């Protein structure tokens, strides 16, 4: 490593094929630009050196100011604010404002934002007809993905992604309408009439009202459960360049409208290795059934016949700070709903995992999804709703990442390279001559 005379450190690379030495600038601590490798060539016809990084395990795709994670120390901050303080002292819509605008709102700014979101919660009646087309047992995530994609046809002006005013309007609409779509999917599944949004209720209370009000004109949610859900929303609002946020940026980089891009991000989130893990955890705990069956299950994990869902993370190699907050929230919820009987299985799995070499050596700790499903189930949500409950708050993060991407002059359409390892050129063979 050397200083290139401008105060920037450089990395010296010697190409043994040619004997040439190259100097590559080191940016922001220890980052090199992949394009700087392109100068490394065997001859003028050579394409130049690329880096190969399947699953992007060591590639930064953006410079971002939204969310900071230190996976080794278990630190998560939104715009510099520790997640613990936000979960303790803030609300989901206040955090949404912070993530989107970069600063905490003043009281007037927050009131205006809440007003805007509240007055965009209705969806076009045709969306309910779209939902009627689904079977009674359609998965809620599939329904909501379709509903969000369909919204793009109701707002064709959303295609104008380079108009900041239009973007702002779609951002508000998306944050406002996601709970409505989610609640409608739930009511469809249950065969219940849809409840329209109630403007005098807050964001989370209104969601609970649309979900659970039956046979009464008014609805007041239990304040402990309302707050618990709001805290879960805060914890899930963003998580920097994860699989679904990257999907949002990739789709958005083609200038697609944000409804189509969010539908794509939701598709990524739906996967059991990502946001679908909360559903998979509940199914796993139910399948284990009792604490007595845990040793056999853990043997299966060590033999790689099973995966301990809700454990492990690409970035966190320490306890996920969100999991600690969720564990505390679970205690508060169970005071109201009664203890979820699966909690004992989850606690025992965690106790064993934190002491077993297999998990310790691989730095496998509970992630955000390990305990969240227990809370959702205690609150009365069916497991099919769990990934949807993740998607509602994460919509904020996706939109913050999308805004940042569109405003970043360095970004352009995302298009990775490949290392081609297929066939050399060969001549077409007629079908009758093929062996
Ligand atoms: N159970 C058992 N073994 C695991 C688990 C697990 N949950 N997670 C990782 N491992 C093992 C892997 O087999 C691997 O072992 P090896 O090195 O001997 O081959 C090692 O730990 C490293 O795991 P990778 O798969 O390389 O880690 P990666 O960063 O690619 O994957 C992931 C991260 C997908 C989250 C993984 O830990 C996993 O599948 N966890 C379960 C699903 C889950 O909970 N997902 C939610 C993540 S949080 C979120 O997205 C909201």
């Amino acid at each position: 490593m050397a200083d290139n005379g401008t105060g920037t450190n450089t990395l010296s690379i010697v190409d043994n094929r040619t004997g040439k030495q190259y100097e590559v600038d080191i940016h922001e601590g220890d980052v090199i630009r992949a394009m700087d490798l392109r100068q490394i060539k065997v001859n003028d016809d050579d394409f130049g050196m690329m880096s190969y990084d399947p699953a992007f395990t060591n590639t930064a795709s953006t410079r971002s100011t939204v969310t900071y994670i230190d996976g080794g120390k278990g630190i998560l901050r939104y715009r510099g604010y520790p997640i613990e303080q936000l979960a303790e002292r803030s609300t989901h819509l206040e955090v949404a404002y912070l993530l989107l605008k970069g600063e905490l709102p003043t009281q007037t700014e927050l009131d205006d934002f809440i007003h805007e979101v509240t007055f965009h919660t209705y969806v076009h009646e045709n969306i309910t007809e779209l939902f009627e087309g689904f079977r009674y047992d359609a998965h809620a995530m599939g329904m909501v993905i379709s509903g969000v994609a369909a919204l793009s046809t109701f707002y064709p002006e959303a295609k104008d992604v380079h108009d900041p005013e239009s973007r702002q309007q779609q951002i508000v609409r998306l944050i406002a309408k996601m709970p409505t779509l989610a609640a409608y999917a739930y009511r469809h599944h249950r065969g219940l009439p849809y409840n329209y949004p109630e403007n005098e209720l807050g964001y989370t209370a209104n969601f609970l009202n649309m979900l659970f009000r039956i046979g009464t004109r008014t609805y007041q949610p239990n304040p402990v459960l309302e707050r618990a859900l709001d805290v879960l929303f805060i914890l899930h609002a963003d998580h920097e360049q994860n699989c679904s946020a990257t999907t949002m940026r990739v789709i958005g980089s083609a200038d697609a409208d944000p409804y189509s891009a969010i539908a794509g991000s939701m598709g990524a989130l739906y996967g059991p290795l990502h946001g679908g893990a909360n559903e998979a955890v509940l199914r796993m705990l139910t399948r284990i059934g009792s604490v007595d069956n845990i040793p056999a299950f853990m043997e299966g994990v060590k033999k790689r016949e099973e995966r301990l869902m809700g454990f492990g993370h690409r970035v966190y190699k320490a306890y996920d700070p969100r999991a600690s907050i969720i564990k505390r929230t679970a205690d508060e919820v169970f005071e109201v709903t009664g203890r979820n009987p699966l909690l004992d299985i989850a606690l025992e799995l965690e106790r064993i995992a934190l002491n077993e070499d297999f998990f310790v050596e691989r730095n496998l700790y509970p992630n955000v999804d390990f305990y969240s499903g227990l809370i959702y189930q205690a609150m009365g949500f069916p497991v099919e709703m769990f990934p949807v409950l993740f998607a509602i708050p994460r919509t904020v993060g996706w939109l913050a990442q999308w805004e940042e991407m569109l405003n970043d002059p360095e970004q352009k359409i995302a298009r990775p390279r490949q290392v081609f390892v297929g066939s050399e050129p060969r001549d077409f063979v007629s079908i009758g001559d093929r062996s």
Side-chain angles (χ1 to χ4, degrees):
M1 207 160 74
D3 190 312
N4 66 2
T6 62
T8 310
N9 282 320
T10 60
L11 180 73
S12 308
I13 302 175
V14 177
D15 187 343
N16 288 331
R17 298 170 301 176
T18 58
K20 279 198 206 160
Q21 177 164 326
Y22 300 86
E23 298 300 319
V24 173
D25 285 349
I26 300 174
H27 307 266
E28 285 158 272
D30 40 19
V31 176
I32 60 161
R33 286 187 174 257
M35 276 305 283
D36 285 351
L37 299 177
R38 195 67 81 70
Q39 59 177 312
I40 303 173
K41 295 180 177 194
V42 175
N43 55 49
D44 286 347
D45 297 336
D46 190 1
F47 179 77
M49 185 73 72
M50 287 192 296
S51 61
Y52 175 61
D53 188 12
F56 312 122
T57 51
N58 197 36
T59 295
S61 60
T62 185
R63 300 171 77 247
S64 181
T65 61
V66 182
T67 291
Y68 173 80
I69 301 174
D70 182 330
K73 296 194 181 123
I75 291 173
L76 170 61
R77 298 184 199 127
Y78 296 160
R79 302 282 189 187
Y81 294 99
I83 192 67
E84 293 79 4
Q85 291 182 23
L86 293 169
E88 174 89 28
R89 300 176 55 185
S90 195
T91 63
H92 175 58
L93 284 189
E94 190 178 24
V95 167
Y97 186 101
L98 170 70
L99 284 166
L100 289 161
K101 310 268 186 191
E103 296 296 334
L104 284 168
T106 63
Q107 190 63 55
T108 313
E109 287 167 340
L110 181 59
D111 292 345
D112 288 350
F113 183 61
I114 292 172
H115 180 86
E116 267 198 281
V117 169
T118 305
F119 280 80
H120 283 90
T121 45
Y122 272 61
V123 294
H124 195 287
E125 282 292 297
N126 288 3
I127 291 283
T128 60
E129 288 174 32
L130 173 78
F131 276 16
E132 286 313 302
F134 284 95
R135 281 174 56 123
Y136 73 94
D137 59 352
H139 196 286
M141 194 70 164
M143 290 182 70
V144 179
I145 290 173
S146 307
V148 176
L151 284 181
S152 86
T153 68
F154 291 88
Y155 306 113
E157 72 277 15
K159 286 187 175 60
D160 199 356
V161 296
H162 294 291
D163 174 359
E165 260 181 53
S166 169
R167 282 208 303 273
Q168 180 56 26
Q169 175 137 50
Q170 314 321 321
I171 286 172
V172 167
R173 281 179 176 149
L174 273 157
I175 294 170
K177 293 180 202 305
M178 280 295 284
T180 313
L181 294 176
Y184 282 12
Y186 169 80
R187 300 286 287 202
H188 174 84
H189 179 69
R190 289 282 144 117
L192 292 165
Y194 304 124
N195 284 334
Y196 287 121
E198 294 283 351
N199 286 0
E200 58 277 8
L201 294 173
Y203 189 77
T204 312
N206 178 45
F207 178 45
L208 291 168
N209 161 62
M210 288 189 287
L211 288 160
F212 297 132
R213 177 167 61 82
I214 301 175
T216 56
R217 276 172 203 279
T218 55
Y219 178 82
Q220 272 310 322
N222 181 300
V224 175
L225 302 187
E226 181 189 347
R227 177 63 191 156
L229 195 55
D230 212 53
V231 169
L232 285 164
F233 281 179
I234 292 170
L235 299 181
H236 286 87
D238 192 51
H239 213 232
E240 51 116 312
Q241 309 313 315
N242 55 80
C243 179
S244 55
T246 300
T247 306
M248 182 78 191
R249 281 177 175 264
V250 170
I251 300 177
S253 77
D255 284 356
D257 73 80
Y259 301 95
S260 304
I262 293 268
S265 303
M266 285 186 73
L269 189 77
Y270 196 1
L273 297 187
H274 190 12
N278 53 16
E279 180 177 348
V281 169
L282 239 287
R283 293 191 191 280
M284 174 190 76
L285 295 176
T286 309
R287 188 159 54 86
I288 294 172
S290 102
V291 171
D292 297 343
N293 296 331
I294 290 177
F297 175 81
M298 288 303 233
E299 279 312 305
V301 174
K302 284 189 264 175
K303 285 190 207 144
R304 296 170 189 283
E305 292 159 359
E306 301 271 7
R307 192 154 266 247
L308 180 53
M309 302 309 287
F311 260 69
H313 199 275
R314 172 62 58 78
V315 180
Y316 291 119
K317 300 303 168 198
Y319 214 99
D320 182 337
R322 301 168 300 174
S324 320
I325 300 167
I326 286 182
K327 233 171 141 181
R328 281 200 300 279
T329 307
D331 291 336
E332 289 158 23
V333 168
F334 296 157
E335 291 267 314
V336 176
T337 62
R339 193 177 156 88
N340 188 325
L342 296 175
L343 179 65
D344 290 334
I345 301 175
L347 287 170
E348 182 61 5
L349 278 173
E350 180 185 333
R351 191 192 64 75
I352 294 175
L354 295 182
N355 290 294
E356 288 253 1
D357 288 348
F358 178 91
F359 299 93
V360 174
E361 282 161 10
R362 291 171 177 77
N363 293 316
L364 299 174
Y365 294 89
N367 60 48
V368 68
D369 287 322
F370 193 64
Y371 287 103
S372 61
L374 291 173
I375 301 181
Y376 296 145
Q377 192 180 52
M379 289 175 77
F381 290 103
V383 284
E384 294 79 15
M385 283 297 286
F386 294 3
V388 175
L389 292 166
F390 197 150
I392 293 170
R394 184 54 63 86
T395 296
V396 171
W398 291 327
L399 291 167
Q401 300 285 342
W402 174 68
E403 262 286 300
E404 188 176 65
M405 186 267 306
L406 287 172
N407 284 316
D408 181 347
E410 276 202 303
Q411 294 291 341
K412 39 168 105 179
I413 187 165
R415 204 317 185 171
R417 297 277 175 181
Q418 67 168 4
V419 178
F420 182 71
V421 293
S423 174
E424 290 298 313
R426 47 187 175 161
D427 288 327
F428 183 79
V429 180
S430 303
I431 195 160
D433 298 334
R434 292 175 209 160
S435 51

